[in-house]
């Protein structure tokens, strides 16, 4: 509970410090993880600072010498440890410290187990998925480089990149790449370069080291900061066998800083060679196409229809004349055959015509309506008949055989009419309208 105080009734300093000491004493003993810095020993006490591995927070720790010396292996500056501590507050000095009851170094096996658990958690969130990876630009205008101060990794990246493409530009952020400040400084540098619109790709480079030296690049806060970047990130941490979590979340992993320089910029010599090869290939393709077209054009021009167009027209004219003559011959032959057939039919008709019979002295007796009289029994006395001769016709009236009257003189035949040109071939039909 908070103490009730007023300006007229304040609490003494000793009372406030005693209250703070009482609150701290209620915490009891706890296990704390951190990194040792500022290690020193005086008499029977060992003094050290325990720094948080992620945040820029630290606490002073005092350990009896026997507790410190009982730790195997004995901790040194930079070591990761887990300490069983009891918070203490000294009222007389108003200072806070942690008293170590037991110190346990964090071994490599335990570190690897923690990293594996963190890797599984981030993998389940999809931070390492391949579909999140972005392609690097072919030729970045400006490259952001996060590296150690005056480090070999910085020289490797700059020299190899400029050797491959002399016009490449860099924005370098030199930070601590190991120790308690590494995570904070690297994260801030990455976020700064990611906010810069001129930077097209970010390279995080560091040389090789032990697992403990590379632990900052497996820190959860740094890995999540890289995953949130809008700019493609290249991880070039350590050597080929080193694999911090930063390699898994980065868009491209480079085995070494030198390999990172090869991945972010093309080789100008290789590109010039490629341009020459493509140009030569284009020339060969276009030249081959032109040769084929010229060969085809020559072949077309050598054809008779193009080499001598008039001769082709003459040949077509000859074909037309031949077809015309053939048509005339065919038509003339057809007409001749038709004429022969017609003459043959005319001869048959003349042979079968009654006119030929009449020319031999025969006569045809017909009634006025044209009916031919075939028997004498069919004729009655007084019937009007027409007798057709070879060149004329007579009209008579029949009499009874017993009629004693003298025979009437036959009427003089009328003047013969002019026969048509084909009357010899066709039979003459009676004319009923003619007077007897």
């Amino acid at each position: 509970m908070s103490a009730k105080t007023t300006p007229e009734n304040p609490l003494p300093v000793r009372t406030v410090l005693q209250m703070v000491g009482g609150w701290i004493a209620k915490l009891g003993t706890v296990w704390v993880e951190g990194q040792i810095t500022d290690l020193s020993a005086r008499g029977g006490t060992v003094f050290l600072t325990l720094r948080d591995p992620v945040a820029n927070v630290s606490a002073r720790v005092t350990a009896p010498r026997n507790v410190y010396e009982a730790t195997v292996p004995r901790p040194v500056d930079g070591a990761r440890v887990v300490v069983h501590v009891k918070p203490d507050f000294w009222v007389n000095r108003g200072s806070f410290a942690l008293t170590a009851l037991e110190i346990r170094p964090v071994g490599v096996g335990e570190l690897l187990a923690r990293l594996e658990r963190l890797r599984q958690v981030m993998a389940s969130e999809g931070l390492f998925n391949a579909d999140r990876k972005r392609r690097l630009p072919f030729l970045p205008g400006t490259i952001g480089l996060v590296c150690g101060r005056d480090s070999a990794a910085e020289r490797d990246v700059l020299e190899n990149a400029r050797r491959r493409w002399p016009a490449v530009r860099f924005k370098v952020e030199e930070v601590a790449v190991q120790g308690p400040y590494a995570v904070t400084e690297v994260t801030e540098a990455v976020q700064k370069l990611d906010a810069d619109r001129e930077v097209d790709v970010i390279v995080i480079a560091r040389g090789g080291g032990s697992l403990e030296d590379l632990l900052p690049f497996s820190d959860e806060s740094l890995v999540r900061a890289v995953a949130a970047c809008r700019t493609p990130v290249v991880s070039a941490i350590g050597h080929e066998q080193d694999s911090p979590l930063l390699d898994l979340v980065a868009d491209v992993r480079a085995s070494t800083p030198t390999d990172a320089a090869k991945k972010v910029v093309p080789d100008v010599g290789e590109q010039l060679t490629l341009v020459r090869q493509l140009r030569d290939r284009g020339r060969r393709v276009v030249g081959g196409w032109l040769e084929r077209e010229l060969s085809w054009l020559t072949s077309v021009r050598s054809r008779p229809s193009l080499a001598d167009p008039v001769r082709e027209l003459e040949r077509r004219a000859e074909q037309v004349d031949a077809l015309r003559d053939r048509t005339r011959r065919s038509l003339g032959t057809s007409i001749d055959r038709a004429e022969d057939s017609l003459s043959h039919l005319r001869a048959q008709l003349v042979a079968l015509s009654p006119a030929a019979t009449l020319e031999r002295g025969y006569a045809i007796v017909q009634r006025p309506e044209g009916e031919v009289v075939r028997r004498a029994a069919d004729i009655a006395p007084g019937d009007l008949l027409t007798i057709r001769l070879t060149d004329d016709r007579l009209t008579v009236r029949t009499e009874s055989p017993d009629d004693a009257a003298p025979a009437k003189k036959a009427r003089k035949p009328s003047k013969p009419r002019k026969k048509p040109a084909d009357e010899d071939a066709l039979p003459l039909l009676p004319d009923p309208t003619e007077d007897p």
Side-chain angles (χ1 to χ4, degrees):
M1 295 179 61
S2 60
K4 295 181 179 180
T5 60
T6 63
E8 292 77 17
N9 188 23
L11 292 178
V13 174
R14 64 181 181 278
T15 303
V16 175
L17 295 180
Q18 289 172 355
M19 294 172 64
V20 172
W23 293 334
I24 294 176
K26 293 179 182 180
L27 181 61
T29 60
V30 293
W31 287 95
V32 181
E33 181 184 2
Q35 188 175 21
I36 293 177
T37 60
D38 301 332
L39 179 65
S40 63
R42 290 194 296 273
T45 305
V46 176
F47 300 93
L48 57 93
T49 299
L50 194 63
R51 181 172 293 278
D52 186 276
V54 177
N56 191 16
V57 179
S58 61
R60 190 68 178 168
V61 179
T62 61
R65 183 179 287 271
N66 59 345
V67 173
Y68 174 75
E69 293 178 351
T71 306
V72 180
R74 192 167 296 175
V76 295
D77 276 339
R80 290 282 288 270
V81 293
V82 176
V83 187
H84 192 207
V85 299
K86 177 182 177 299
D88 288 323
F89 185 76
W90 283 271
V91 176
N92 294 335
R93 295 194 303 270
S95 62
F96 171 80
L98 301 174
T99 301
L101 305 177
E102 183 182 354
I103 301 176
R104 295 182 183 180
V106 178
V108 174
E110 186 175 356
L111 286 175
L112 291 176
R114 292 183 181 182
L115 291 179
E116 178 61 22
R117 288 194 295 271
L118 181 58
R119 186 193 68 79
Q120 292 177 359
V121 170
M122 291 188 170
S124 65
E125 296 178 7
L127 297 182
F128 305 152
N129 290 349
D131 54 3
R132 296 186 69 257
K133 309 295 184 181
R134 290 158 295 188
R135 297 183 60 182
L136 301 182
F138 171 72
L139 183 61
T142 301
I143 300 174
L145 176 61
V146 180
C147 58
R149 296 175 179 87
D150 194 24
S151 62
E154 177 182 0
R155 292 192 296 272
D156 288 345
V157 173
L158 296 180
E159 290 177 2
N160 284 281
R162 287 169 179 162
R163 186 181 301 117
R164 292 172 62 84
W165 198 274
V168 67
R169 294 180 298 172
F170 280 91
K171 285 190 177 182
V172 181
E173 294 290 334
E174 295 183 342
V175 296
V177 292
Q178 72 180 56
Y181 303 103
V183 174
T184 303
E185 292 187 10
V186 172
T187 302
E188 292 176 352
V190 170
Q191 293 174 344
K192 178 181 178 182
L193 293 174
D194 185 52
D196 192 340
R197 296 294 182 180
E198 295 182 357
V199 176
D200 297 323
V201 63
I202 299 173
V203 179
I204 304 175
R206 187 202 188 283
S210 63
L211 176 64
E212 291 81 0
D213 294 338
L214 301 180
L215 278 179
F217 299 98
S218 294
D219 185 82
E220 182 177 1
S221 62
L222 175 58
V223 172
R224 292 187 181 278
V226 171
C229 287
R230 64 168 185 83
T231 308
V233 177
V234 177
S235 174
I237 306 301
H239 302 294
E240 180 66 32
Q241 66 273 14
D242 299 320
S243 182
L245 296 182
L246 181 63
D247 288 350
L248 301 178
V249 77
D251 297 289
V252 176
R253 178 188 181 272
S255 58
T256 62
T258 302
D259 185 47
K262 294 179 180 180
K263 290 182 180 297
V264 295
V265 292
D267 189 310
V268 63
E270 293 178 357
Q271 297 303 314
L272 289 176
T273 301
L274 179 61
V275 170
R276 286 195 295 269
Q277 292 175 351
L278 293 175
R279 183 177 57 194
D280 294 341
R281 180 181 176 185
R283 285 177 176 173
R284 289 194 300 271
V285 171
V286 174
W289 178 79
L290 288 176
E291 289 178 0
R292 288 193 301 272
E293 294 299 318
L294 288 174
S295 177
W296 174 83
L297 183 59
T298 302
S299 175
V300 170
R301 293 178 60 186
S302 63
R303 293 178 182 178
S305 58
L306 294 180
D308 190 2
V310 177
R311 178 70 189 91
E312 182 66 18
L313 292 176
E314 292 176 351
R315 188 175 67 83
R316 293 295 182 180
E318 292 174 357
Q319 291 180 354
V320 171
D321 293 340
L323 291 174
R324 183 184 59 191
D325 295 340
R326 179 180 175 184
T327 303
R328 287 177 176 176
R329 288 194 301 272
S330 176
L331 183 59
T333 302
S334 299
I335 292 174
D336 292 341
R337 284 199 297 268
E339 289 180 350
D340 293 342
S341 177
L342 184 60
S343 299
H344 179 68
L345 291 175
R346 180 183 289 113
Q348 290 180 345
L349 184 60
V350 169
L352 298 176
S353 174
T357 304
L358 295 177
E359 288 180 355
R360 293 197 297 271
Y362 292 90
I364 298 174
V365 179
Q366 293 176 308
R367 295 185 184 277
E369 58 272 14
E371 181 183 357
V372 176
V373 179
R374 291 179 172 79
R375 295 181 304 174
D378 294 336
I379 302 174
D383 286 345
L384 187 64
L385 300 175
T386 300
I387 298 175
R388 184 170 181 177
L389 305 174
T390 183
D391 58 350
D392 203 352
R393 69 183 63 185
L394 298 175
T395 301
V396 298
R397 187 178 301 271
T398 62
E399 295 180 356
S400 173
D402 299 330
D403 195 349
K408 188 183 291 185
K409 185 179 182 179
R411 182 182 298 176
K412 184 180 181 179
S414 60
K415 186 179 181 179
R417 16 184 215 98
K418 188 177 182 180
K419 293 189 297 182
D422 57 348
E423 189 172 348
D424 293 337
L426 298 178
L428 297 177
L429 298 179
D431 187 2
T433 60
E434 186 178 354
D435 289 336

